[in-house]
Amino acid sequence: QVQLVESGGGLVQAGGSLRLACAVSGLTITNYRMGWFRQAPGKEREFVAGIEWKGIHTYYGDSVKGRFTISRDNAKNLVALQMNSLKPEDTAVYYCAALRDYGNIRTPDAAYYWGQGTQVTVSS
């Protein structure tokens, strides 16, 4: 069965850093664009970062560009999100997703599979 399991979330002070990891089983991520999305209470799910098959091209939401970095290790079937200079407005549940191989990467509609999410809370 396909599973995407996020880890690394937690509570951090503003200005701090967290590194999220997404361990994937049941599919080979080489065949998928991968992404991170987040959802805060009462808000719609928002695109955070995306990465194409070999990691040559990356994409970021405007609110995180310059602070977050997405990466992938296809040999380990692993996707990561390094989050630096965190702000309280980054507080959300963060979801890893395996995405369709065409079209707009910046929408939740692009996801074939979702992880269960991991909570990130940034205190002021």
Side-chain angles (χ1 to χ4, degrees), residues 9-104:
L11 176 64
V12 65
Q13 291 185 328
S17 298
L18 286 172
R19 186 176 179 87
L20 306 183
C22 175
V24 182
S25 61
L27 63 82
T28 300
I29 68 166
T30 303
N31 298 323
Y32 294 87
R33 298 192 292 182
M34 302 295 295
W36 290 92
F37 296 78
R38 67 188 183 187
Q39 190 164 20
K43 305 286 286 289
E44 294 186 354
R45 194 162 294 189
E46 175 190 22
F47 174 76
V48 176
I51 187 166
E52 56 87 69
W53 304 266
K54 296 184 68 174
I56 296 171
H57 298 287
T58 56
Y59 309 84
Y60 297 95
D62 289 342
S63 63
V64 308
K65 190 171 185 178
R67 300 187 296 121
F68 291 10
T69 303
I70 188 171
S71 61
R72 64 191 297 157
D73 186 337
N74 288 342
K76 296 181 178 180
N77 236 36
L78 182 69
V79 184
L81 183 70
Q82 179 67 43
M83 305 186 295
N84 297 327
S85 301
L86 283 162
K87 304 174 181 179
E89 50 262 46
D90 295 318
T91 296
V93 177
Y94 283 70
Y95 298 91
C96 178
L99 309 174
R100 67 175 185 254
D101 59 355
Y102 64 92
N104 185 7

